[in-house]
């Protein structure tokens, strides 16, 4: 403590760093990680395992960095901090947002357990499903990146409604993703005579894990809805 | 001019000199430390440069101290303890000197350890302690009770006013389709309110020495007039601010904050003014008691404060700002980035109103703690991302420390001074 710190300004101890800044940084990591996951999955189904693994490592590292950020955010929100939103809901949103990353890592790690080329037809379907999952997250990002505006305007109806429109789009995309998952699952089962049971099991689980990513994007956006309620 | 001083005994001269040094140090530390409360956020948000902040803070602290400072000074001097009852000029002068030294020492220690204490609480605690020690009869309990209540209610009042102002800002600015244009329309009304309050605090039954003491009606008329002038000037300034059309909400809100930056300069100056008006008393209340008593050789039964002492207090604060306060403003400004100009404006106008009303009623309060209450008010209106309510406990602890420590040390110093000097 230098001589410059010898003063009494309790206002400094009254104001804490804005937790939404870190939440936003975490969301930016989700955005980056989602791009890497998409490229990784595309490379896998193109049979380019080298690119796949390079991107898989990127996903793994982003997930780890985001985890650290999550922990530091949780540690800096002790009991007597007052926020303009419910702190419990804020932390639940953070948890769900972090789960998006967890499942994105699961998708690429699970894929890496068995590196085999997949029939062209199925590969295309997987890319379509991946695109839809990425779309769900893109809408979620619109919602989460609008929160600073909501805070600045202090919860005006206009800003809350804008966020809610994005949340509705997340639900819409998640529903479409569900439909694609079921169709793809059916298609994989229909190939039981031509594919190995292990291959079928591997791909079925990929479908499930991709589905989890969009499920958690929807869960996280539902938390935003609760967060913004009056 | 100073003939009376040289006619005094050496002891009495010494008492005056010590009181001058301690009083000046107190004024210095009030300027050096507390000015960051009013200017820190404006410098932090970039609304003012450090240099400009130091200049305007100096001007407004000085003006507040000289123009409105006498009311609270009177309370410190002869409200908490009743000098006429003591009847012994030297006892009274020594008691006030002990009070000043005790508060000064505790403020010095607390500043070193960054404890959230208030100079006001130190001086009031010291005065109560010394009064009780000499004789409990000398302490005016109803005034002490009012002061104690005001310490609890002034931060709450600041909080409620700031809460309401922020709600008004949301409804009249942020909820509008074009918030920048809305603020340029609403802004002059806000300026009007602020100027009205400041002018009223100066002129209503004030400035008798300059022959400018107005009655209620005249003071209100003058305040309305100058408030109107302020509103027109601000309307003109806002009309010169050119804001190009922007696409995103974020950019639009940045423009709103830019306009609020101008309003926050006004409220920061107002807080400096109110702070000078209330806190200068902590330095010059006891000083003027010593000074006048020694000069007259008898206890002077007035609650007034000589203009020369007010000027000295104001000067001490300005020196504090210029020699040390700028560093504190700079450090605080760098660390406070969580308060945007719109929030700072609301917190500061609530603080100004509360502190000036208390100042006019002669109630010594802590400007710092009113500001914290006001910031919390904005927080309750969902305006601030994270507020640490632990500060309430820390402030409470600092009250519990300050009152007994300053009371007991003022008694000890009084006994020591009496032994050495009388």
């Amino acid at each position: 403590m230098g001589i410059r710190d010898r003063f009494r300004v309790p206002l400094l101890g009254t104001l804490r760093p804005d937790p939404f800044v870190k939440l936003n940084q975490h969301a930016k990591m989700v955005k980056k990680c989602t791009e890497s996951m998409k490229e990784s999955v595309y490379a896998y189904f193109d049979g380019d395992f080298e690119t796949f693994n390079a991107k898989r490592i990127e996903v793994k590292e982003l997930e780890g960095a985001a985890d650290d950020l999550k922990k530091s955010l949780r540690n800096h929100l002790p009991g007597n901090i007052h926020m303009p939103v419910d702190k419990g809901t804020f932390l639940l949103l953070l948890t769900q947002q972090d789960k998006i990353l967890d499942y994105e890592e699961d998708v690429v790690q699970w894929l890496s357990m068995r590196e085999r080329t997949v029939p062209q037809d199925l590969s295309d379907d997987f890319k379509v499903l991946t695109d839809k999952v990425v779309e769900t997250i893109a809408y979620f990002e619109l919602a989460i990146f609008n929160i600073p505006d909501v805070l600045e305007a202090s919860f005006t109806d206009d800003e809350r409604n804008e966020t809610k429109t994005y949340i509705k789009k997340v639900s819409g995309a998640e529903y479409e993703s569900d439909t694609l998952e079921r169709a793809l699952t059916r298609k994989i089962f229909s190939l039981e005579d031509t594919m190995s049971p292990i291959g079928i099991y591997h791909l079925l689980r990929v479908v499930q894990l991709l589905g989890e990513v969009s499920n958690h994007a929807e869960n996280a956006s539902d938390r935003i809805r609760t967060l913004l309620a009056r | 001019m100073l003939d009376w001083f040289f006619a005094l005994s050496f002891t009495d001269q010494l008492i005056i000199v010590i009181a001058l040094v301690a009083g000046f140090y107190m004024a210095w530390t009030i300027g050096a430390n507390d000015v960051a409360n009013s200017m820190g956020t404006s410098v932090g948000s970039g609304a003012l440069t450090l240099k400009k902040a130091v200049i305007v803070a100096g001007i407004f602290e000085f003006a507040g101290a000289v123009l409105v400072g006498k009311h609270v000074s009177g309370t410190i001097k002869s409200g908490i303890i009743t000098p006429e009852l003591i009847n012994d000029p030297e006892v009274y002068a020594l008691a006030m000197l002990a009070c000043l030294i005790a508060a000064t020492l505790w403020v010095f220690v607390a500043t070193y350890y960054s404890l959230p204490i208030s100079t006001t609480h130190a001086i009031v605690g010291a005065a109560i302690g010394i009064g009780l020690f000499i004789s409990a009869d000398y302490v005016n309990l109803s005034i002490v009770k009012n002061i104690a209540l005001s310490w609890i209610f002034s931060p709450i009042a600041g909080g409620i006013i700031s809460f309401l102002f922020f709600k008004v800002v949301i409804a009249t600015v942020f909820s509008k389709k074009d918030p920048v244009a809305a603020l340029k329309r609403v802004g002059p009304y806000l300026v009007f309110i602020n100027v009205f309050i400041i002018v009223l605090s100066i002129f209503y039954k004030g400035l008798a020495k300059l022959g400018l003491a107005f009655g209620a009606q005249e003071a209100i008329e003058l305040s309305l007039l100058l408030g109107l002038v302020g509103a027109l000037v601000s309307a003109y300034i806002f009309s010169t601010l050119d804001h190009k059309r922007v696409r995103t909400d974020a950019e639009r809100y940045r423009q709103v904050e830019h306009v609020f930056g101008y309003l926050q300069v006004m409220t920061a100056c107002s807080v400096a003014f109110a702070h000078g008006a209330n806190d200068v008393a902590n330095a010059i209340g006891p000083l003027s008691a010593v000074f006048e008593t020694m000069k007259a050789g008898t206890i002077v039964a007035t609650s007034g404060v000589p203009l020369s002492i007010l000027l000295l207090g104001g000067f001490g604060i300005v020196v504090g700002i210029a020699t040390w306060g700028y560093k504190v403003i700079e450090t605080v400004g760098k660390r406070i980035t969580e308060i945007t100009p719109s929030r700072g404006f609301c917190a500061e106008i609530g603080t100004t109103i509360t502190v000036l009303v208390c100042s006019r009623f002669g109630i010594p309060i802590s400007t710092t703690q009113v500001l914290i209450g006001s910031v919390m008010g904005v927080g309750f209106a969902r305006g601030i991302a994270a507020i640490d309510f632990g500060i309430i406990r820390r402030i409470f602890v600092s009250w519990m420390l300050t009152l007994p420590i300053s009371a007991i040390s003022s008694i000890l110093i009084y006994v020591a001074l009496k032994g050495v000097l009388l």
Side-chain angles (χ1 to χ4, degrees):
Chain A
M1 202 148 96
I3 195 74
R4 280 183 171 236
D5 291 309
R6 303 295 181 192
F7 56 78
R8 300 165 281 117
V9 183
L11 192 60
L12 281 178
T14 312
L15 298 162
R16 288 298 195 103
D18 183 349
F20 285 97
V21 170
K22 278 192 174 166
L23 184 75
N24 235 308
Q25 286 171 0
H26 191 272
K28 281 184 184 144
M29 288 179 161
V30 172
K31 190 180 159 86
K32 261 177 134 176
C33 191
T34 305
E35 283 160 17
S36 298
M37 180 205 71
K38 183 183 165 179
E39 287 165 19
S40 182
V41 172
Y42 264 58
Y44 183 94
F45 287 103
D46 286 339
D48 176 2
F49 296 119
E50 200 178 323
T51 312
F52 161 70
N53 276 309
K55 290 289 164 188
R56 177 174 65 85
I57 302 296
E58 261 181 43
V59 170
K60 184 178 159 244
E61 278 164 1
L62 279 165
E63 199 276 337
D67 229 31
D68 293 342
L69 191 64
K70 180 187 78 170
K71 277 176 205 147
S72 100
L73 189 45
R74 280 185 175 279
N75 288 340
H76 288 94
L77 278 181
N80 39 25
I81 301 289
H82 175 267
M83 289 177 68
V85 296
D86 181 68
K87 212 161 56 185
T89 311
F90 177 85
L91 290 172
L92 285 175
L93 164 59
L94 178 65
T95 307
Q96 289 301 324
Q97 189 170 280
D98 199 62
K99 284 220 166 123
I100 298 174
L101 291 155
D102 288 345
Y103 280 101
E104 285 179 348
E105 194 195 355
D106 281 357
V107 168
V108 291
Q109 295 291 26
W110 176 259
L111 275 174
S112 76
M113 305 290 158
R114 188 173 181 274
E115 291 181 3
R116 299 287 163 86
T117 47
V118 177
Q120 184 65 45
D121 186 26
L122 275 184
S123 289
D124 291 346
D125 284 356
F126 268 101
K127 286 180 187 170
V128 170
L129 175 59
T130 306
D131 283 347
K132 190 49 82 180
V133 170
V134 170
E135 189 187 322
T136 319
I137 292 173
Y139 286 131
F140 166 72
E141 279 157 6
L142 286 177
I144 196 102
F145 290 138
N146 195 50
I147 289 184
D149 284 356
V150 178
L151 292 172
E152 168 61 27
S154 198
F155 301 85
T156 52
D157 286 341
D158 278 0
E159 289 296 346
R160 288 166 60 242
N161 289 336
E162 186 186 335
T163 315
K164 280 186 200 160
T165 1
Y166 302 137
I167 294 172
K168 278 182 197 131
K169 288 186 176 171
V170 176
S171 299
E174 198 276 337
Y175 175 79
E176 287 166 26
S177 154
D178 272 353
T179 315
L180 289 174
E181 284 160 43
R182 274 192 293 275
L184 187 50
T185 305
R186 260 194 203 99
K187 193 164 182 178
I188 293 168
F189 274 125
S190 74
L191 296 171
E192 62 180 296
D193 297 331
T194 55
M195 275 176 76
S196 76
I198 299 296
I200 286 180
Y201 174 64
H202 184 236
L203 291 181
L204 282 178
R205 183 127 175 82
V206 175
V207 176
Q208 274 177 4
L209 289 171
L210 279 169
E212 287 297 342
V213 174
S214 61
N215 280 343
H216 285 285
E218 193 190 21
N219 288 351
S221 65
D222 279 342
R223 296 288 98 82
I224 298 178
R225 193 197 296 274
T226 321
L227 201 71
L228 302 187
R230 283 198 187 273
Chain B
M1 193 184 161
L2 287 170
D3 294 346
W4 63 271
F5 180 78
F6 295 112
L8 294 172
S9 69
F10 176 71
T11 310
D12 289 357
Q13 288 178 349
L14 194 62
I15 291 174
I16 290 179
V17 171
I18 298 172
L20 277 173
V21 172
F24 192 80
Y25 172 77
M26 193 60 137
W28 182 88
T29 194
I30 288 168
N33 188 80
D34 297 2
V35 72
N37 284 317
S38 53
M39 293 297 151
T41 48
S42 295
V43 172
S45 68
L48 275 177
T49 61
L50 181 61
K51 198 174 156 194
K52 281 183 190 157
V54 168
I55 293 168
V56 294
I59 293 169
F60 281 90
E61 289 273 353
F62 186 82
V66 174
L67 298 176
V68 193
K70 64 173 181 176
H71 306 281
V72 182
S73 299
T75 304
I76 302 284
K77 199 177 94 172
S78 53
I80 296 167
I81 48 182
T82 317
E84 293 91 320
L85 291 176
I86 295 177
N87 215 7
D88 180 342
E90 280 188 322
V91 167
Y92 174 56
L94 273 193
M96 280 290 134
L97 180 60
C99 187
L100 186 55
I101 294 173
T104 303
L105 288 176
W106 174 234
V107 167
F108 183 80
V109 171
T111 306
Y112 192 80
Y113 291 105
S114 295
L115 303 177
I117 67 129
S118 145
T119 49
T120 308
H121 298 173
I123 205 84
V124 171
I128 295 172
I130 203 83
L132 290 175
F133 178 74
I134 297 171
S135 167
D137 296 341
Y138 297 161
V139 178
N140 188 334
L141 283 176
S142 76
I143 286 188
V144 171
K145 201 185 75 194
N146 284 341
I147 293 173
L149 285 176
S150 74
W151 288 355
I152 295 166
F153 286 109
S154 61
I156 296 174
I160 292 171
I161 298 169
S162 298
F163 177 93
L164 294 175
F165 264 96
F166 190 58
K167 286 289 183 196
V168 168
V169 164
I170 295 171
T172 58
V173 178
F174 285 112
S175 296
K176 300 296 178 197
K177 280 274 170 280
D178 184 351
V180 185
L183 179 55
K184 287 178 180 174
R185 276 194 305 275
V186 176
Y189 291 96
L190 299 172
V191 172
F192 174 81
I193 294 170
N194 194 294
V195 174
F196 176 81
I197 288 156
I198 300 255
V199 176
L200 191 62
S201 80
I202 298 173
F203 287 100
Y204 176 55
K205 288 185 183 167
L207 301 184
K209 285 205 176 63
L210 302 176
L212 288 170
F214 294 137
Q217 203 194 336
E218 287 167 296
I220 289 173
E221 280 168 8
L222 183 65
S223 307
L224 287 173
L225 184 69
L226 290 180
L228 198 63
V229 172
L232 290 173
V233 170
S234 66
Y236 171 74
I237 293 172
F238 292 150
S239 74
T240 63
L241 297 178
D242 203 17
H243 287 108
K244 60 176 190 294
R245 290 206 163 277
V246 288
R247 251 170 292 133
T248 68
D249 289 347
E251 285 171 314
R252 201 165 295 129
Y253 294 138
R254 253 200 299 284
Q255 291 183 340
V256 173
E257 292 298 346
H258 176 245
V259 181
F260 261 118
Y262 288 84
L263 288 164
Q264 203 204 354
V265 171
M266 171 189 73
T267 51
C269 291
S270 305
V271 171
F273 181 87
H275 176 255
N278 203 288
D279 286 37
V280 75
N282 304 335
I284 65 162
L287 175 61
S288 79
V290 173
F291 206 76
E292 285 185 292
T293 310
M294 287 295 165
K295 188 178 176 184
T298 174
I299 288 167
V300 186
T302 71
S303 61
V305 176
L307 186 63
S308 58
I309 304 272
L310 281 168
L311 289 168
L312 182 72
F315 179 66
I317 291 177
V318 170
V319 173
I321 297 169
T323 57
W324 191 266
Y326 71 95
K327 287 192 267 190
V328 184
I329 297 175
E330 191 180 22
T331 312
V332 170
K334 272 181 195 150
R335 288 196 216 157
I336 294 190
T337 48
E338 289 82 13
I339 291 203
T340 55
S342 59
R343 275 63 172 171
F345 167 83
C346 294
E348 286 171 353
I349 200 165
T351 304
T352 302
I353 293 172
T354 308
V355 174
L356 278 180
V357 168
C358 288
S359 301
R360 283 308 314 238
F361 283 105
I363 304 170
I365 51 160
S366 163
T367 308
T368 309
Q369 292 175 10
V370 175
L371 181 63
I372 287 173
S374 302
V375 166
M376 287 183 175
V378 179
F380 275 119
R382 304 182 95 176
I384 293 169
I387 295 176
D388 188 351
F389 273 34
I391 191 71
I392 295 175
R393 188 182 48 77
R394 293 199 291 281
I395 285 176
F396 194 71
V397 169
S398 79
W399 287 2
M400 295 296 109
L401 280 175
T402 299
L403 293 176
I405 287 175
S406 55
I408 291 166
S409 58
S410 74
I411 294 168
L412 294 176
I413 290 165
Y414 171 74
V415 171
L417 285 173
K418 213 174 167 190
V420 175
L421 295 175
L422 293 188

